[in-house]
Amino acid sequence: MSGTLSFEFFPPKTPAMEESLWRSIQRLAPLKPDFVSVTYGAGGSTRERTHSTLQRLLAETQLVPAAHLTCVNANRDEVDEVAQAYWDAGVRHIVALRGDAPADAAGNFTRYLPHPEGYAFAVDLVAGLKRIGDFEVSVAGYPERHPESADLSDDLDNLKRKVDAGATRVITQFFFEAETFCRFVENARKAGITVPIVPGILPVTNFAQVQKFAKACGAAVPDWMGGLFEGLDGDPETRQLVSASVAVKLCEKLRDNGVEDFHFYTLNRADLTLAICRMLGLGARVPASVA
Ligand SMILES: Cc1cc2nc3c(=O)[nH]c(=O)nc-3n(C[C@H](O)[C@H](O)[C@H](O)COP(=O)(O)OP(=O)(O)OC[C@H]3O[C@@H](n4cnc5c(N)ncnc54)[C@H](O)[C@@H]3O)c2cc1C
């Protein structure tokens, strides 16, 4: 296998979550991923925590960190300051995103409105980052199109603009059918997008939550998946086994179609991602950790 392997984490909110994140990182690090990325909370809400997670990765591990950064709720100077701080800390890879408007008090999604003095869309952020430093920049792609795009062609135009602005990798939103990803890649290539397009793989830990996320981001949850997880709400062990098997099958189908790069949404848990990588022979071959 010559493809790349990467893991995504989110910054922890509490000391207990922090401990659990670092245990996960320690268990996944021996796979020697090409990079690990740390998300930026909705509306920039995790600015400090994202930064301190990145700093700790740089100080205490050999892992190559990538920092997510969004345009939401900040003017250009503020976003530039965050990017400059990443650069100064030694971060050389940014996942550049528009972000979403924070949820309202009732937890409902609200419409995104660009900050009047901010980077309006991800494409603007990509260009801004390139002015700050020679960052490696990854951007988001949507196999089932972004819900705010008029159609697939509008969505691919936007993706092409992000690549033309300097992005060198596309990491996709999660999806559950290999055909969905393959069709997307085929259309992206036809649209002249030549950079690597890396599938974002989401091992399903909580099916009800995945359905909610999927609805918000326009990803389809196939009926067969509902059937597989039905009745398992109170049975986490069986759910884990089903989940690992579903993700492995998806990755195998992708591999059959020539896919070699994989990005895992770990949700800060090592077990599923570790099991899936071992089953697929992804990452460095090392003895299992007993942590
Ligand atoms: C791999 C990955 C990682 C992510 N990480 C995070 C994270 O850390 N934090 C977070 O908050 N969110 C994250 N997200 C979610 C992301 O912020 C949302 O999906 C968001 O809605 C869109 O971000 P984008 O970068 O794709 O936006 P864009 O590429 O800017 O596109 C957003 C929408 O705007 C449209 N658009 C673009 N330009 C214009 C224009 N000039 N006029 C009108 N419409 C336009 C596009 O067609 C598209 O529909 C992530 C998503 C992915 C796939």
Side-chain angles (χ1 to χ4, degrees):
M1 279 282 302
S2 57
T4 62
L5 174 66
S6 50
F7 301 135
E8 183 170 311
F9 301 104
F10 61 87
K13 263 193 196 143
T14 62
M17 285 168 80
E18 172 144 15
E19 207 179 298
S20 139
L21 166 66
W22 286 91
R23 261 200 318 274
S24 297
I25 290 174
Q26 278 156 9
R27 290 178 69 195
L28 290 169
L31 292 176
K32 297 193 167 47
D34 293 270
F35 67 91
V36 296
S37 77
V38 182
T39 62
Y40 200 71
S45 54
T46 65
R47 176 178 167 154
E48 305 305 331
R49 282 184 280 128
T50 298
H51 196 90
S52 58
T53 305
L54 290 159
Q55 272 181 320
R56 193 166 165 193
L57 279 166
L58 283 162
E60 296 180 22
T61 75
Q62 301 293 313
L63 297 165
V64 177
H68 292 221
L69 183 56
T70 71
C71 312
V72 180
N73 269 359
N75 65 33
R76 276 187 291 273
D77 288 347
E78 288 162 339
V79 174
D80 288 357
E81 211 177 283
V82 176
Q84 187 65 53
Y86 286 156
W87 181 272
D88 294 343
V91 175
R92 295 290 179 266
H93 180 177
I94 293 197
V95 184
L97 304 140
R98 184 198 75 179
D100 290 311
D104 65 16
N108 297 312
F109 293 97
T110 55
R111 204 166 90 78
Y112 170 81
L113 284 177
H115 186 289
E117 286 139 28
Y119 292 112
F121 293 96
V123 62
D124 308 305
L125 176 59
V126 175
L129 289 171
K130 286 290 177 182
R131 285 192 289 271
I132 292 170
D134 189 19
F135 285 112
E136 176 181 356
V137 179
S138 297
V139 289
Y142 300 87
E144 294 166 273
R145 94 179 160 74
H146 186 269
E148 291 161 51
S149 294
D151 51 33
L152 187 67
S153 134
D154 179 51
D155 205 48
L156 286 172
D157 285 350
N158 179 50
L159 186 58
K160 174 87 166 53
R161 282 198 298 274
K162 294 195 278 191
V163 172
D164 290 346
T168 50
R169 176 189 294 97
V170 176
I171 303 175
T172 77
Q173 186 57 276
F174 64 84
F175 57 89
F176 296 110
E177 302 279 16
E179 298 73 31
T180 306
F181 177 81
C182 296
R183 209 169 30 241
F184 173 65
V185 173
E186 200 183 312
N187 286 325
R189 300 300 181 225
K190 280 187 199 152
I193 296 162
T194 55
V195 299
I197 300 178
V198 184
I201 305 295
L202 177 68
V204 176
T205 35
N206 177 336
F207 186 65
Q209 200 179 49
V210 164
Q211 279 180 306
K212 199 172 148 206
F213 281 164
K215 198 165 165 229
C217 70
V221 179
D223 289 343
W224 57 261
M225 258 182 88
L228 284 181
F229 286 98
E230 196 179 328
L232 294 183
D233 288 351
D235 185 351
E237 289 89 359
T238 309
R239 226 169 46 218
Q240 293 271 92
L241 295 170
V242 172
S243 177
S245 162
V246 167
V248 166
K249 278 191 181 169
L250 174 61
C251 294
E252 278 173 346
K253 277 197 196 162
L254 291 169
R255 277 225 288 230
D256 289 346
N257 283 279
V259 175
E260 293 190 338
D261 302 321
F262 292 95
H263 179 81
F264 286 91
Y265 294 109
T266 69
L267 302 181
N268 290 7
R269 299 172 53 134
D271 41 15
L272 273 174
T273 300
L274 189 54
I276 295 161
C277 288
R278 291 183 73 100
M279 296 278 294
L280 293 163
L282 294 175
R285 291 243 163 219
V286 287
S289 153
V290 289

